[in-house]
Amino acid sequence: MFSRIINKINSNKNMIAGFMICSMILSFGMTGCSFQKQNVVQVPELLEPVGANQSFRPTEKMQVGSIKLLYGKVVPDSYPVFSITDVSIKKYEISLGDYVEEGDVIAYCDTSEYDEQIDFLTKTINSLYEERSMKENLSYEVAHKLTLWRQACEDAGDPDGVNKYTTDINVELENRRFELELIDTKISNAINARNEAQNKKDKLTFTAPHSGYITYMADMVKSNIVPHGMNIAVISDSENVHVEIPNTNIHDFKFKDFKSTYTYVGGKMVNLEEMAYTPSEVSFAETNLLFPPIRYKAVPGMKLGDTVAIYYVKDDIKVTLAVANDSINYDNDEVYVYVKNSATDELVKKNITIGLRDENYTEVTSGLEEGEEVFYESTSPLPVKYEKHTVERGTYNLTFDTKNIEKTMTHYDIYTSNYNGEYNAPVHDLGQELKNGDVLYTIKSITGSAELEEARVNLSNLSNGHSQRIDELNAQQNALQEELSAAQNCPAPIATETDAMAMEEYLYHSERVQCDLNALDIQRQYEETSYADQYSQLSDIYNKKCDEIGDNGLITIYVDEDGYAGSFPIRKDSLVYKGTFITAVGHKSSDILRVVMNESTDDKFIEPANIGQKVQFKIEDGATFTGTCIGINGNADKHYLFTRDGKQYVTTSAPHNGMTQTSFFVKLDEGDTASITNAVASYNGTTMNDVITIPYKCVKEEIEQLTNEKKHYVWKISGNTLIKQYVNVFEVYASANGTALILSGLKEGDIIVVE
């Protein structure tokens, strides 16, 4: 019977082709039907189906269900270093690729303003403590002297004198309490002011929030300003990873309502759990209209840098008895297929009931048994000459290469003006090699000589005033020494010739003079200490003024360390002020290279290496070097959303000036950057392990005429028959070295053909 059908096909090809076109037109809208009842167009029932090939497939158990695919990357957990305000970086303490511990200093901003405040307040506090100590000690001497007077009055029998000196002692004690309390208030205010300045300074000192490797640093080539919300650096913890889907965000994500999400690890299906952001974080992102990418928790078996195929199930999936969609016919409420009678080769129409349906296959809930041969229409020519290929699991590597390799600056010395003045043009070109001690640039000071003279006069007046005060103290000391000597040699008054007042003057006289001498020593010590502090401050001011005036008003700035000249954004003869960014001198690493990829095109997708991936460099003489990707250029479209110290933040990393977003950095395992000349860098942009791979030439392509959708298939050997097997192919890129990655439709051990 079947042979008669084939003869009929060969003799009536034109009629068959026309009939097939009519059948497809009449069937429009039917292919989307998936369950028991369908809204279909009436079609005359075929007594016998026709096709270009003897096309049959066995009814098999397979996975059925509507699935969508996205691709993720296994990336390290990252921790941004950032500021909530615009800041000017003064110095980096780290370089790209460095390992840092939590709490290590990453960068400093220009803190000179706060440094000066803190220094001034510290000296003020010390001075107040010295003043407090001096006044307290002086008061003790005064009180002690008054106590001696009171004792003398008591010994001389002068009750009025006793009362007077008792009152004086109480007044002195109250004055002491008031003065010390006043000084303590000043000290407290100064300490609070210093703490406030220190807190502001601390906010301009950025430390590592987590241990890990520096994988990004803000570019300092043209400016040292990092705007708020932009990352100063990013620290990556390669020991803790997660799956991130590039070019997605939590606001536009269209797969939130899918029933389940899974991937394959080691050939086994594994459910993925979303690494969800907290409600507070999501609310913060919504408020700022800045949204991070979708991410999932990593599962055992995933490695840093791997690509992960993520399957999204809309309703349900299951492994069940199924047939391909192109075998199913619909006629009103009737759903049927044609099967081959193995004994007679005749086609038999069988009604079936169906369940789940996806793009390629439909579940059969009744009407067919496993192994039954089901007819399908196919105009695809059967392979004639071919070899058998057994489907196996392996590693899929999508390799990219580029010749755009260059040495890179891994850190910079940042030069900002310490003066107000007129900027003179630099004598260096961008990228010019500089040596320690070379002239970097000059500034013509606008500080007048009057300010210098004022600073000199202040120093002179301080010294003169100090000398005069010391002379006064010396004179007082000499007088007191004479008084002490006289008191010690003075005979006691004769009782019959004296009165109470004379006795009071005589009693404890030398002890009272000693109190005055002690007080004088306290004042002298305070004067010397106070003078030294004030002289140091005024001397610093004077020296700075001398420095600002320079040599005939021209200040010369020298290179601190060998490096390469950055750009000089300030124009010649422009006025600059203290803290203005002048330039940055870069330092090239001996073991880190920058690799710049060509841009992707419509027919060729290019991606950078991932952090942790290996990169190979092959030079012209055939020698090879290997390295590891340690950092990627910033991407302004990628946002980091996180909570730190109970507050929510969202940041991003700005791309470096002059770099594409496919730039990345590689640290050599051995050797140095001088060895890498005229080389080609190769790396695996996409890596999937333990997956189904087949020769790419096995994969065929067709366009479904009714939906205009592209579909892929292979020729599979089932027994002694070739069957058309639909497959899902990883199509981010056509193939990896002639290898196709099969995401579904084939299993390990299947036999396919290679033409």
Side-chain angles (χ1 to χ4, degrees):
M1 177 65 179
F2 187 76
S3 61
R4 293 201 304 272
I5 293 174
I6 298 303
N7 291 333
K8 183 177 179 181
I9 290 173
N10 291 332
S11 61
N12 297 283
K13 289 182 178 178
N14 293 334
M15 179 184 71
I16 292 169
F19 182 80
M20 290 176 67
I21 293 173
C22 292
S23 297
M24 287 188 290
I25 294 173
L26 292 171
S27 300
F28 183 76
M30 300 177 191
T31 56
C33 303
S34 58
F35 299 100
Q36 304 294 333
K37 293 186 178 182
Q38 312 291 334
N39 295 321
V40 298
V41 178
Q42 294 289 339
V43 180
E45 181 179 339
L46 292 178
L47 295 178
E48 294 175 339
V50 292
N53 301 314
Q54 297 187 24
S55 305
F56 292 91
R57 295 190 192 92
T59 305
E60 297 178 308
K61 287 186 177 180
M62 61 184 65
Q63 181 176 289
V64 181
S66 181
I67 297 173
K68 298 295 183 182
L69 274 170
L70 290 177
Y71 305 100
K73 295 285 187 182
V74 181
V75 299
D77 292 352
S78 296
Y79 300 85
V81 179
F82 68 101
S83 172
I84 59 174
T85 60
D86 296 355
V87 292
S88 300
I89 301 299
K90 179 71 173 179
K91 183 181 181 183
Y92 271 108
E93 289 292 330
I94 45 84
S95 297
L96 189 69
D98 284 354
Y99 182 83
V100 295
E101 297 283 355
E102 181 178 347
D104 287 351
V105 174
I106 301 299
Y108 296 101
C109 291
D110 185 358
T111 61
S112 57
E113 175 184 353
Y114 298 118
D115 289 336
E116 290 176 0
Q117 290 183 27
I118 292 169
D119 181 62
F120 172 77
L121 289 167
T122 298
K123 290 178 178 178
T124 299
I125 292 167
N126 292 336
S127 177
L128 286 170
Y129 275 123
E130 290 167 2
E131 181 183 356
R132 187 187 192 284
S133 177
M134 180 269 294
K135 289 192 174 183
E136 185 176 27
N137 291 334
L138 276 178
S139 178
Y140 278 126
E141 295 297 336
V142 171
H144 183 47
K145 183 177 179 180
L146 292 172
T147 301
L148 292 171
W149 273 115
R150 184 177 66 180
Q151 186 64 46
C153 292
E154 187 175 332
D155 292 349
D158 181 7
D160 292 339
V162 170
N163 292 334
K164 172 184 177 300
Y165 285 111
T166 298
T167 300
D168 290 345
I169 290 170
N170 290 332
V171 170
E172 178 61 30
L173 293 177
E174 177 61 21
N175 288 340
R176 180 200 303 172
R177 184 197 64 78
F178 177 78
E179 285 201 31
L180 295 183
E181 189 175 282
L182 183 63
I183 294 176
D184 286 341
T185 300
K186 292 180 180 179
I187 291 173
S188 177
N189 290 338
I191 290 174
N192 290 336
R194 184 177 64 178
N195 290 341
E196 183 179 353
Q198 185 65 52
N199 289 335
K200 291 179 179 179
K201 177 184 176 180
D202 290 344
K203 291 179 181 179
L204 298 180
T205 301
F206 299 96
T207 59
H210 193 89
S211 299
Y213 291 91
I214 302 296
T215 54
Y216 170 83
M217 293 173 61
D219 190 15
M220 296 286 109
V221 170
K222 293 185 177 180
S223 174
N224 69 330
I225 296 176
V226 180
H228 68 279
M230 290 293 179
N231 292 326
I232 296 169
V234 174
I235 299 168
S236 296
D237 179 2
S238 57
E239 298 297 321
N240 295 285
V241 299
H242 63 274
V243 179
E244 191 172 276
I245 306 179
N247 303 318
T248 62
N249 68 71
I250 60 174
H251 183 263
D252 298 331
F253 191 58
K254 303 181 186 303
F255 296 88
K256 297 176 183 177
D257 299 328
F258 276 63
K259 185 174 182 179
S260 62
T261 306
Y262 67 92
T263 188
Y264 286 94
V265 178
K268 296 181 179 179
M269 181 189 294
V270 180
N271 289 325
L272 286 179
E273 181 183 352
E274 185 176 359
M275 195 173 173
Y277 297 93
T278 67
S280 297
E281 289 170 343
V282 173
S283 176
F284 187 80
E286 293 282 356
T287 300
N288 290 275
L289 298 178
L290 299 173
F291 305 101
I294 297 295
R295 58 186 185 175
Y296 293 91
K297 294 180 180 179
V299 297
M302 291 182 176
K303 299 192 302 298
L304 186 65
D306 282 354
T307 300
V308 178
I310 304 176
Y311 299 76
Y312 294 88
V313 180
K314 183 66 176 176
D315 297 311
D316 199 4
I317 59 168
K318 57 184 174 181
V319 176
T320 183
L321 199 65
V323 295
N325 295 337
D326 55 5
S327 292
I328 300 177
N329 303 287
Y330 303 93
D331 186 2
N332 292 326
D333 292 338
E334 187 179 29
V335 183
Y336 61 93
V337 298
Y338 286 100
V339 299
K340 182 169 63 172
N341 186 314
S342 58
T344 64
D345 277 351
E346 292 182 341
L347 294 182
V348 179
K349 176 183 175 182
K350 273 198 170 186
N351 289 333
I352 60 173
T353 57
I354 60 176
L356 284 176
R357 178 187 175 99
D358 59 30
E359 294 81 359
N360 296 319
Y361 296 97
T362 298
E363 177 190 13
V364 178
T365 57
S366 67
L368 286 175
E369 294 182 1
E370 187 173 0
E372 283 191 88
E373 297 282 336
V374 179
F375 174 81
Y376 67 96
E377 290 184 347
S378 175
T379 58
S380 303
L382 288 168
V384 178
K385 295 181 179 180
Y386 58 83
E387 296 178 355
K388 295 180 180 180
H389 177 82
T390 302
V391 175
E392 297 177 342
R393 291 190 171 276
T395 299
Y396 178 84
N397 290 323
L398 183 55
T399 303
F400 299 112
D401 56 53
T402 178
K403 292 183 178 180
N404 297 328
I405 306 165
E406 55 190 47
K407 297 178 183 178
T408 187
M409 308 291 183
T410 56
H411 66 283
Y412 291 88
D413 290 333
I414 300 166
Y415 289 83
T416 58
S417 178
N418 291 326
Y419 317 99
N420 299 329
E422 187 178 88
Y423 172 74
N424 282 20
V427 294
H428 309 291
D429 297 324
L430 178 64
Q432 181 179 336
E433 187 172 0
L434 302 173
K435 296 296 184 182
N436 180 26
D438 287 349
V439 174
L440 188 61
Y441 66 93
T442 57
I443 288 181
K444 185 177 181 181
S445 173
I446 57 175
T447 302
S449 58
E451 293 180 354
L452 178 62
E453 178 61 18
E454 181 184 1
R456 188 194 66 76
V457 169
N458 289 338
L459 266 177
S460 178
N461 290 341
L462 177 67
S463 296
N464 292 336
H466 172 66
S467 297
Q468 183 177 350
R469 179 62 179 153
I470 293 298
D471 289 343
E472 292 174 355
L473 292 173
N474 288 337
Q476 292 178 37
Q477 183 179 30
N478 291 335
L480 287 171
Q481 288 288 359
E482 291 178 2
E483 183 179 351
L484 178 62
S485 178
Q488 291 172 341
N489 297 320
C490 179
I494 300 172
T496 58
E497 298 178 356
T498 186
D499 54 20
M501 183 175 295
M503 183 59 70
E504 291 169 5
E505 287 287 345
Y506 172 78
L507 293 173
Y508 311 111
H509 186 189
S510 61
E511 287 86 349
R512 294 196 300 272
V513 174
Q514 189 61 52
C515 287
D516 291 337
L517 284 170
N518 292 342
L520 202 64
D521 286 340
I522 292 169
Q523 294 178 67
R524 183 191 301 277
Q525 183 178 355
Y526 177 72
E527 171 64 24
E528 294 289 358
T529 303
S530 178
Y531 169 72
D533 290 342
Q534 293 181 61
Y535 188 87
S536 175
Q537 294 182 47
L538 292 179
S539 179
D540 286 344
I541 294 173
Y542 178 78
N543 290 333
K544 287 179 181 178
K545 294 300 179 183
C546 290
D547 190 28
E548 288 178 11
I549 289 180
D551 184 10
N552 296 322
L554 192 66
I555 303 165
T556 304
I557 308 301
Y558 301 93
V559 176
D560 292 333
E561 184 182 352
D562 294 356
Y564 297 85
S567 61
F568 290 78
I570 306 298
R571 293 184 178 181
K572 177 179 170 57
D573 299 330
S574 297
L575 288 179
V576 296
Y577 301 93
K578 188 174 182 179
T580 301
F581 175 79
I582 303 298
T583 191
V585 175
H587 304 286
K588 294 182 179 180
S589 171
S590 62
D591 60 356
I592 297 177
L593 291 166
R594 178 160 67 98
V595 178
V596 183
M597 298 306 302
N598 298 322
E599 293 297 328
S600 301
T601 60
D602 291 339
D603 60 348
K604 190 171 185 179
F605 173 77
I606 296 177
E607 57 182 315
N610 299 296
I611 292 174
Q613 278 189 318
K614 285 295 183 182
V615 179
Q616 183 182 78
F617 299 93
K618 186 173 183 179
I619 60 179
E620 287 184 337
D621 64 4
T624 59
F625 296 82
T626 59
T628 304
C629 177
I630 61 166
I632 299 178
N633 188 23
N635 181 351
D637 295 326
K638 178 183 176 180
H639 301 287
Y640 299 83
L641 176 64
F642 53 94
T643 299
R644 190 171 294 169
D645 298 328
K647 294 183 179 180
Q648 288 72 47
Y649 303 96
V650 60
T651 66
T652 191
S653 298
H656 285 196
N657 287 301
M659 294 190 190
T660 68
Q661 291 189 359
T662 49
S663 298
F664 58 91
F665 303 91
V666 178
K667 185 171 185 177
L668 297 175
D669 296 331
E670 294 181 356
D672 55 46
T673 55
S675 306
I676 313 298
T677 57
N678 297 321
V680 175
S682 301
Y683 65 94
N684 298 321
T686 297
T687 298
M688 295 190 192
N689 298 304
D690 200 19
V691 291
I692 297 293
T693 59
I694 63 173
Y696 192 80
K697 59 184 178 181
C698 295
V699 180
K700 309 297 179 183
E701 184 179 299
E702 67 180 19
I703 303 296
E704 193 172 274
Q705 295 185 28
L706 296 180
T707 63
N708 204 36
E709 291 182 357
K710 182 168 63 174
K711 303 182 75 172
H712 295 98
Y713 66 92
V714 298
W715 291 108
K716 176 182 171 183
I717 298 177
S718 178
N720 295 320
T721 305
L722 290 180
I723 64 173
K724 189 178 187 180
Q725 182 81 3
Y726 287 103
V727 294
N728 286 323
V729 182
F730 180 72
E731 274 202 294
V732 172
Y733 193 57
S735 68
N737 299 321
T739 301
L741 171 60
I742 304 302
L743 298 169
S744 64
L746 289 176
K747 62 181 182 297
E748 189 175 8
D750 285 344
I751 307 297
I752 61 175
V753 304
V754 182
E755 294 185 81

